[in-house]
């Protein structure tokens, strides 16, 4: 987005309040799509087994700023924030960074270590902190896209290089990151440079300004080190005399596609924003918002619709303060294609942003860095998509003996937040048997007057203080040793953790 419009907001501590729906789907059976490294096929992204996947995620910025680390760690533990992203149903995190973090002397300057927060980040440099965030996100079933956002923490650049950070440094740093995360399938790819804009061109042939040619040079350099990564290529501002958002104009792809040495690795990325960022002519069109699908088709949607390549809307956001912005976001979410109708045959996306301190958009979190903007998050519910298999280490089912297979399961109940008048909890169901199960049922009895107010990824009945939760259609099947999650909200809080039982079939 137009970074000059960004302004930081102060953060203060407050209570955690998660939305209760969000449409998250979090089955973790062994055959859930997303395992291994990914590649493209036409307009879809496929996992290592050839199953289609949908990126449905969030931007968490800060590594590109003078803090040299994701923001919010001055208030919270990084694991609690990643867990919260997971609980809301986001399956991917885009991490903006600047080349400054590739310097071994660059250290974070805004992490709170009090009361045990972020304890395992103490003494680490910025890149080592990124390692921890990537590892924990992967363990939670989230994927990570690294976004080269700025040459240095001083600010955005129109081109991929500056006098202080030449192209050679840009490419060397991209290769260093590719090597660092090679073999870690939590990192699915790299966004080569954020929001190229005038004088950047597409297809003009001038090596100093042709972003398409630069993306080919950088993409091939990354793939020479780690051929399994996806290469995310943003648009420019102006093509053929037609201007749009920074990074949002991919009209040139039709005539000048990005050509890489490794096939099926290019994902095109557009950015799109509302009036809280800047005005555009289409917002004042008398047919707005009915005109918007045509606008998006022209700038980037045609790439998907013509089956040229996958399209990822790497940034979009708004404060939702105006009616125009509300209509814009509703129209865009519809254009991105609901998961319930189209599955992974859809546009990919990462919302801007998780952070509340993006001054012209705000975030999914409110200014206290814990409370969720449930209205904003609710707009995204229909395009959220399943989480992916954990890429963390540990866990896994053991082998059974020589007898016949038995359907069995266990359930672990965890309170993720409690603010007195209400609470949120998650239950992890694990197949403890020696064969796959097709359905499960979890039961518990509270000692107090708690009532379920909403549940996702399961259906429930409550009789008195006894609750019975049954799997949803998408997460009943669990392979031996695999697991599935469901969550719920309840009231009042303070009820503690009851004993739970699980039966499987």
């Amino acid at each position: 987005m137009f970074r000059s419009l960004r302004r930081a907001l102060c953060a203060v501590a407050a209570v955690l309040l998660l939305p209760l729906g969000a449409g998250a789907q979090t089955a973790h059976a062994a055959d859930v799509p997303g395992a291994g490294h990914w590649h493209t096929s036409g307009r879809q992204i496929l996992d290592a087994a050839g199953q289609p996947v949908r990126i449905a995620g969030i931007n968490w910025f800060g590594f590109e700023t003078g803090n040299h680390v994701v923001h919010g760690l001055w208030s919270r533990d990084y694991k609690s924030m990643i867990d919260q992203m997971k609980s809301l149903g986001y399956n991917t995190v885009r991490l903006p960074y600047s080349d400054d973090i590739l310097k071994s002397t660059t250290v974070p300057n805004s992490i709170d270590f009090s009361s045990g927060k972020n304890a395992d980040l103490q003494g680490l440099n910025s890149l080592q902190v990124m390692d921890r965030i990537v590892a924990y996100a992967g363990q939670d079933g989230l994927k990570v896209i690294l976004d080269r956002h700025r040459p240095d923490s001083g600010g955005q650049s129109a081109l991929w290089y500056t006098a202080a950070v030449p192209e050679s440094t840009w490419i060397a740093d991209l290769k260093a990151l590719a090597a660092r995360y090679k073999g870690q399938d939590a990192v699915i790819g790299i966004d080569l440079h954020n929001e190229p804009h005038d004088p950047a061109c597409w297809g003009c042939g001038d090596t100093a300004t042709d972003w398409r040619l630069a993306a080919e040079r950088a993409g091939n350099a990354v793939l020479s080190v780690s051929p399994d990564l996806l290469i995310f290529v943003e648009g420019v501002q102006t093509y053929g005399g037609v201007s749009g958002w920074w990074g949002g104009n991919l009209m040139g792809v039709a005539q000048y596609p990005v050509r890489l040495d490794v096939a099926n690795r290019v994902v095109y990325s557009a950015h799109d924003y509302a009036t809280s960022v800047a005005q555009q002519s289409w917002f004042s069109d008398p047919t707005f918002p009915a005109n918007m699908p045509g606008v998006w088709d022209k700038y980037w949607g045609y790439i998907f619709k013509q089956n040229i390549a996958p399209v990822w809307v790497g940034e979009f956001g708004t404060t939702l303060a105006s009616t125009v912005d509300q209509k814009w976001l509703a129209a865009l979410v519809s254009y991105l294609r609901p998961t319930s109708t189209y599955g992974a045959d859809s546009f990919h996306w990462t919302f801007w942003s998780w952070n509340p301190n993006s001054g012209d958009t705000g975030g999914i979190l409110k200014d206290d860095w814990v409370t969720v903007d449930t209205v904003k998050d609710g707009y995204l519910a229909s395009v959220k998509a399943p989480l992916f298999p954990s890429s963390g280490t540990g866990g896994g089912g053991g082998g059974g003996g020589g007898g016949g297979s038995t359907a069995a399961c266990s359930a672990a109940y965890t309170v993720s937040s409690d603010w007195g008048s209400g609470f949120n909890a998650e239950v992890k169901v694990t197949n403890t048997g020696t064969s796959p199960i097709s359905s499960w049922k979890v039961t518990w009895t509270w000692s107090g007057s708690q009532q379920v107010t909403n549940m996702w990824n399961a259906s429930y009945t409550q009789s008195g203080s006894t609750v019975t939760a049954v799997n949803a259609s998408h997460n009943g099947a669990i392979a031996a040793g695999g697991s599935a999650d469901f969550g719920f909200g309840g009231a009042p809080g303070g009820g503690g953790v009851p004993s739970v039982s699980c039966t499987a079939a």
Side-chain angles (χ1 to χ4, degrees), residues 150-179:
R150 301 172 174 176
D152 57 56
S153 61
Q156 178 68 16
S157 63
L159 300 172
W160 55 96
Y161 63 91
T162 63
V165 184
E167 178 175 308
S168 58
T169 299
W170 171 55
I171 289 179
D173 288 347
L174 288 170
K175 291 174 67 175
L177 284 172

XYZ file of all heavy atoms in Angstrom, residues 150-179:
222
model
N 11.025 -4.085 2.008
C 11.806 -2.863 1.843
C 13.288 -3.213 1.732
O 13.734 -4.183 2.341
C 11.640 -1.937 3.046
C 10.224 -1.493 3.330
C 10.169 -0.738 4.650
N 8.857 -0.156 4.905
C 8.522 0.478 6.023
N 9.409 0.579 7.004
N 7.317 0.988 6.174
N 14.062 -2.416 1.019
C 15.505 -2.633 1.009
C 16.131 -2.439 2.390
O 17.067 -3.138 2.760
C 16.016 -1.595 0.013
C 14.837 -1.250 -0.833
C 13.652 -1.363 0.072
N 15.642 -1.446 3.131
C 16.097 -1.232 4.501
C 14.917 -0.732 5.309
O 13.838 -0.476 4.770
C 17.281 -0.250 4.563
C 16.952 1.102 3.941
O 15.964 1.736 4.372
O 17.677 1.522 3.016
N 15.102 -0.601 6.602
C 13.981 -0.257 7.467
C 13.538 1.195 7.327
O 12.535 1.599 7.920
C 14.344 -0.541 8.920
O 15.457 0.243 9.324
N 14.250 1.967 6.520
C 13.929 3.379 6.380
C 12.651 3.665 5.624
O 12.019 4.690 5.847
N 12.243 2.782 4.704
C 11.018 3.047 3.972
C 10.915 2.242 2.689
O 11.863 1.578 2.256
N 9.750 2.333 2.077
C 9.446 1.613 0.853
C 10.234 2.203 -0.317
O 10.556 3.396 -0.328
C 7.936 1.717 0.588
C 7.451 1.064 -0.680
C 7.552 -0.446 -0.639
O 7.713 -1.027 0.429
N 7.476 -1.087 -1.792
N 10.535 1.383 -1.324
C 11.213 1.863 -2.523
C 10.404 1.474 -3.752
O 9.788 0.415 -3.798
C 12.625 1.269 -2.628
O 12.571 -0.141 -2.753
N 10.426 2.353 -4.741
C 9.668 2.096 -5.968
C 10.239 0.908 -6.732
O 9.497 0.072 -7.257
C 9.676 3.339 -6.852
N 11.560 0.850 -6.797
C 12.249 -0.228 -7.481
C 12.786 -1.230 -6.463
O 12.785 -0.971 -5.264
C 13.376 0.332 -8.348
C 12.923 1.304 -9.439
C 14.130 1.945 -10.118
C 12.039 0.593 -10.469
N 13.257 -2.354 -6.931
C 13.735 -3.422 -6.073
C 15.135 -3.157 -5.528
O 15.651 -3.945 -4.759
C 13.708 -4.732 -6.846
C 14.477 -4.659 -8.155
C 15.764 -5.050 -8.384
C 13.975 -4.147 -9.401
N 16.110 -4.813 -9.693
C 15.036 -4.269 -10.346
C 12.761 -3.609 -9.819
C 14.889 -3.865 -11.679
C 12.618 -3.212 -11.147
C 13.669 -3.340 -12.057
N 15.711 -2.048 -5.914
C 17.063 -1.703 -5.468
C 17.127 -0.213 -5.188
O 16.292 0.578 -5.648
C 18.098 -2.077 -6.543
C 17.905 -1.312 -7.833
C 18.560 -0.099 -8.060
C 17.053 -1.803 -8.833
C 18.368 0.606 -9.241
C 16.858 -1.103 -10.016
C 17.507 0.101 -10.213
O 17.316 0.809 -11.371
N 18.136 0.158 -4.407
C 18.433 1.569 -4.142
C 19.944 1.736 -4.227
O 20.685 0.754 -4.383
C 17.956 1.988 -2.735
O 18.670 1.231 -1.750
C 16.458 1.760 -2.572
N 20.410 2.963 -4.075
C 21.858 3.197 -4.091
C 22.534 2.457 -2.944
O 23.661 1.951 -3.083
C 22.140 4.699 -4.006
N 21.859 2.381 -1.805
C 22.446 1.730 -0.628
C 22.297 0.218 -0.668
O 23.113 -0.506 -0.088
C 21.797 2.288 0.643
N 21.255 -0.275 -1.339
C 20.993 -1.721 -1.432
C 20.846 -2.075 -2.908
O 19.744 -2.052 -3.459
C 19.728 -2.116 -0.644
C 19.537 -3.630 -0.668
C 19.792 -1.607 0.795
N 21.941 -2.393 -3.571
C 21.888 -2.683 -5.007
C 21.198 -4.012 -5.292
O 20.944 -4.813 -4.385
C 23.368 -2.721 -5.407
C 24.087 -3.101 -4.148
C 23.317 -2.474 -3.030
N 20.940 -4.236 -6.568
C 20.294 -5.496 -6.953
C 21.094 -6.704 -6.499
O 20.517 -7.728 -6.097
C 20.084 -5.554 -8.473
C 19.461 -6.863 -8.931
C 19.137 -6.916 -10.406
O 18.465 -5.990 -10.902
O 19.533 -7.903 -11.060
N 22.396 -6.607 -6.526
C 23.222 -7.757 -6.119
C 22.967 -8.144 -4.670
O 22.941 -9.337 -4.324
C 24.705 -7.440 -6.330
O 25.082 -6.285 -5.594
N 22.761 -7.149 -3.812
C 22.456 -7.438 -2.402
C 21.068 -8.048 -2.278
O 20.857 -9.009 -1.515
C 22.541 -6.153 -1.567
O 23.865 -5.643 -1.644
C 22.177 -6.414 -0.113
N 20.103 -7.492 -3.007
C 18.744 -8.032 -3.007
C 18.749 -9.516 -3.361
O 18.162 -10.342 -2.638
C 17.914 -7.231 -4.006
C 16.534 -7.737 -4.319
C 15.538 -7.998 -3.428
C 16.003 -8.017 -5.618
N 14.405 -8.414 -4.102
C 14.668 -8.432 -5.447
C 16.525 -7.932 -6.905
C 13.844 -8.777 -6.522
C 15.699 -8.264 -7.975
C 14.378 -8.679 -7.778
N 19.431 -9.870 -4.429
C 19.443 -11.268 -4.865
C 20.229 -12.145 -3.899
O 19.806 -13.264 -3.574
C 19.997 -11.366 -6.296
C 18.974 -10.777 -7.281
C 20.335 -12.804 -6.660
C 19.401 -10.791 -8.727
N 21.349 -11.654 -3.409
C 22.132 -12.441 -2.454
C 21.326 -12.728 -1.193
O 21.380 -13.843 -0.647
C 23.426 -11.701 -2.105
N 20.569 -11.745 -0.728
C 19.773 -11.936 0.486
C 18.603 -12.887 0.243
O 18.254 -13.690 1.111
C 19.280 -10.587 1.007
C 20.398 -9.756 1.631
O 21.485 -10.314 1.872
O 20.179 -8.558 1.872
N 17.982 -12.798 -0.928
C 16.925 -13.749 -1.268
C 17.469 -15.180 -1.289
O 16.838 -16.107 -0.766
C 16.328 -13.414 -2.631
C 15.441 -12.163 -2.709
C 15.124 -11.837 -4.169
C 14.146 -12.358 -1.927
N 18.644 -15.350 -1.856
C 19.247 -16.688 -1.896
C 19.607 -17.174 -0.492
O 19.454 -18.357 -0.180
C 20.492 -16.670 -2.790
C 20.186 -16.479 -4.267
C 21.444 -16.332 -5.108
C 22.258 -17.610 -5.153
N 23.425 -17.462 -6.073
N 20.050 -16.246 0.357
C 20.398 -16.631 1.726
C 19.162 -17.118 2.485
O 19.228 -18.106 3.234
C 21.036 -15.448 2.456
N 18.045 -16.449 2.299
C 16.815 -16.892 2.957
C 16.333 -18.226 2.379
O 15.869 -19.102 3.122
C 15.732 -15.836 2.812
C 15.873 -14.607 3.711
C 14.836 -13.558 3.332
C 15.739 -14.979 5.181
N 16.437 -18.369 1.068
C 16.048 -19.630 0.449
C 16.875 -20.786 1.007
O 16.358 -21.875 1.282
C 16.199 -19.541 -1.063
N 18.159 -20.542 1.186
C 19.031 -21.582 1.741
C 18.707 -21.844 3.213
O 18.727 -22.992 3.670
C 20.494 -21.158 1.591
